[in-house]
Amino acid sequence: MLPEAFLLRMEQQLMDEYPAYLESLERPRAVALRFNPLKTHQFPQLPFVKEPIPWAEYGYYYAPDARPGLHVWHEAGLYYLQEASAMAPVTLLDPQPGEIICDLCAAPGGKTTQIAAKMAGQGLLVCNEINPKRARILSRNIERMGVSNALVLNHHPSDLERHFEGVFDKILVDAPCSGEGMFRKEEAAVTDWSPETVDMCARRQQEILSTAAKLLRPGGRLVYSTCTFAPAEDEGAISEFLKLHPEFSIEVVDAPALSPGRPDLIEEPVPGLEHTFRLWPHHQHGEGHYAAVLRKAGDEESTLTASKAEKLPKEWLEFAKALDIHLPDGKPILFGSSLFWAPVELPELKGLKVLRPGLELGECKKGRFEPAHALALWLGECASMQDYAPESDEIAAYLHGNVVTSGEKGWCLVTAGGLSIGWGKGDGRVLKNHYPKGLRR
């Protein structure tokens, strides 16, 4: 049962299309996944994967009765389960390798890892989440998807202004919202909704957008998105922002698979709102979303000052040489007791609440190096590997934390159908299991 006030407003918004919208809510919702090119460009043929999503590279619908989250390749980071409409904002952001990009409201990580895939490990991706628990989930998803160039932060967005003003080439603001587009997917979105919630979200969105305006360099691109139908949070939010920030304008982007924005839904709209985008469940095969592409006037370089590189410890150098591991452009950083490989552009971290400053390599322990799970998921191959069939008893045993048979000695990269999933340490007969205890089935 949807809230009466919501249905009344939707009837006024949609008019003749309102019956089609109600009918769409009765259909089974579309389920989708996005393949990860950081893992491989040779995506296997999976029987549950169906037609491609027209607005998202690497995005596909899958059979609603399938359980792809239980497949070992999900653990390997081959794909991310992501709602189809939620893939549109990153397509509009158009990330490029080498850019400095911020995902300001990043958890749980679907859009962050989509940005990372487009960046191909080059440049700096700052992903921030205000909620500590959700920030940890974000960090785990970045690890699972093999992202090497992400700085994961846990801050209120406004806290970042003194560290990153004028820094970013592109910013995604996937704003906290009233969640009306998720009513079919999430029951909590229905029970938590009220007209007062819509007003509260609209105020919070202006605060976040104001911060994003300061963080973006002149000439940079800002994409704003929500998963709600509420005009106050969509066209209304963009109209209000542009009135307060005349240095920004709506950028015209070609996206024929998406529906145009609706300036007629608000009072005194700014020009150009028809060039923003809506995704309706009765028009597109997905849930409800809104997105707008904005450009900041000017053309200036980023003001980011990178931190100095540290020295790689001999324990890592010996380990990397033995397994023939070659790292991309970057720099080492000691973070606590762990060694990370950070993007060249990584700034000074003092004053920041950091969960992950790049790719975790592992720890030096009494003259030896113990590799991190993140390194295994990032690696495509190394000198010592043991591959098992994805549906094999050995892979099932490995995911449970048991030893598995192998003739390898020393540290060994365990792969499932050619995709890395973790570490083992062999004695020539079996591999001692180093799959993280918190991930074991």
Side-chain angles (χ1 to χ4, degrees):
M1 296 292 292
L2 298 181
E4 184 176 350
F6 165 75
L7 291 174
L8 179 61
R9 197 201 70 221
M10 289 298 289
E11 185 174 13
Q12 294 170 342
Q13 281 184 231
L14 292 170
M15 301 177 67
D16 292 346
E17 294 185 24
Y18 181 63
Y21 164 71
L22 292 180
E23 192 275 331
S24 74
L25 300 183
E26 299 298 321
R27 297 195 298 265
R29 67 181 186 86
V31 286
L33 57 80
R34 177 177 42 78
F35 281 113
N36 181 13
L38 297 178
K39 200 71 179 182
T40 178
H41 284 281
Q42 301 296 320
F43 302 123
Q45 296 292 321
L46 297 171
F48 50 80
V49 174
K50 304 302 180 184
E51 67 273 15
I53 297 167
W55 53 82
E57 187 179 18
Y58 307 121
Y60 289 82
Y61 298 103
Y62 67 84
D65 58 344
R67 302 290 298 278
L70 300 180
H71 198 286
V72 63
W73 280 339
H74 178 267
E75 302 305 314
L78 175 64
Y79 49 79
Y80 192 104
L81 303 182
Q82 186 177 14
E83 201 279 313
S85 296
M87 300 182 197
V90 172
T91 300
L92 298 171
L93 187 68
D94 190 28
Q96 297 295 319
E99 292 181 326
I100 301 175
I101 299 177
C102 178
D103 187 352
L104 199 52
C105 312
K111 295 178 179 67
T112 296
T113 55
Q114 189 180 2
I115 294 170
K118 295 281 190 178
M119 296 179 74
Q122 301 172 47
L124 173 65
L125 174 55
V126 176
C127 33
N128 179 69
E129 171 56 41
I130 188 173
N131 182 289
K133 182 178 179 181
R134 286 170 54 82
R136 290 191 293 271
I137 295 171
L138 167 67
S139 184
R140 287 198 296 269
N141 278 324
I142 284 172
E143 176 178 276
R144 180 174 66 85
M145 300 298 280
V147 177
S148 63
N149 62 328
L151 170 61
V152 184
L153 303 177
N154 172 213
H155 280 277
H156 189 284
S158 63
D159 294 344
L160 304 184
E161 293 177 12
R162 64 180 180 273
H163 298 277
F164 297 103
E165 185 171 359
V167 162
F168 296 106
D169 298 307
K170 291 173 181 173
I171 297 177
L172 175 66
V173 175
D174 185 42
C177 68
S178 57
E180 296 174 0
M182 296 292 108
F183 279 178
R184 181 168 56 169
K185 180 183 177 185
E186 299 175 8
E187 184 176 343
V190 179
T191 57
D192 292 344
W193 186 90
S194 69
E196 292 74 24
T197 300
V198 171
D199 294 338
M200 178 195 69
C201 289
R203 290 191 297 271
R204 182 167 54 185
Q205 289 151 5
Q206 288 304 315
E207 295 173 2
I208 297 172
L209 280 168
S210 178
T211 288
K214 296 174 184 176
L215 302 182
L216 193 68
R217 68 165 177 83
R221 172 179 283 190
L222 167 63
V223 169
Y224 171 82
S225 64
T226 72
C227 56
T228 187
F229 302 116
E233 301 178 67
D234 294 343
E235 292 89 353
I238 294 301
S239 190
E240 179 69 16
F241 173 75
L242 292 177
K243 290 173 183 176
L244 296 172
H245 297 270
E247 72 276 21
F248 280 83
S249 60
I250 295 172
E251 186 169 0
V252 179
V253 176
D254 186 33
L258 309 182
S259 300
R262 293 279 305 277
D264 59 297
L265 296 178
I266 63 172
E267 296 181 4
E268 300 181 2
V270 297
L273 287 173
E274 66 276 9
H275 298 300
T276 63
F277 302 97
R278 279 184 174 267
L279 290 93
W280 303 95
H282 61 292
H283 286 177
Q284 284 84 22
H285 202 39
E287 304 305 312
H289 269 68
Y290 175 81
V293 184
L294 306 176
R295 179 70 70 175
K296 189 174 184 179
D299 185 14
E300 297 180 16
E301 295 294 324
S302 169
T303 60
L304 179 68
T305 301
S307 62
K308 294 181 180 179
E310 300 180 23
K311 187 177 180 180
L312 278 169
K314 63 180 180 63
E315 292 88 350
W316 161 259
L317 294 173
E318 292 170 356
F319 175 83
K321 182 178 180 180
L323 271 71
D324 194 26
I325 296 173
H326 301 277
L327 297 172
D329 289 343
K331 58 189 178 186
I333 176 173
L334 282 171
F335 188 69
S337 61
S338 295
L339 177 67
F340 281 77
W341 190 249
V344 172
E345 300 87 349
L346 188 79
E348 293 290 343
L349 302 181
K350 185 177 180 180
L352 292 170
K353 292 188 283 186
V354 179
L355 277 73
R356 185 178 296 269
L359 173 65
E360 186 179 7
L361 301 179
E363 292 185 77
C364 300
K365 293 186 174 182
K366 297 181 180 179
R368 61 184 175 85
F369 190 82
E370 186 161 316
H373 185 59
L375 177 62
L377 292 173
W378 174 80
L379 276 174
E381 58 183 9
C382 67
S384 179
M385 301 171 61
Q386 177 64 65
D387 187 54
Y388 303 101
E391 307 292 346
S392 65
D393 292 341
E394 288 86 355
I395 284 297
Y398 180 79
L399 294 178
H400 277 89
N402 300 327
V403 298
V404 288
T405 57
S406 172
E408 297 291 325
K409 291 186 177 181
W411 286 105
C412 173
L413 185 66
V414 179
T415 61
L419 299 177
S420 59
I421 58 168
W423 292 107
K425 198 169 186 181
D427 61 7
R429 298 178 297 107
V430 296
L431 291 179
K432 181 181 179 182
N433 198 306
H434 282 263
Y435 194 64
K437 291 182 179 179
L439 300 178
R440 294 176 183 178
R441 296 181 178 179

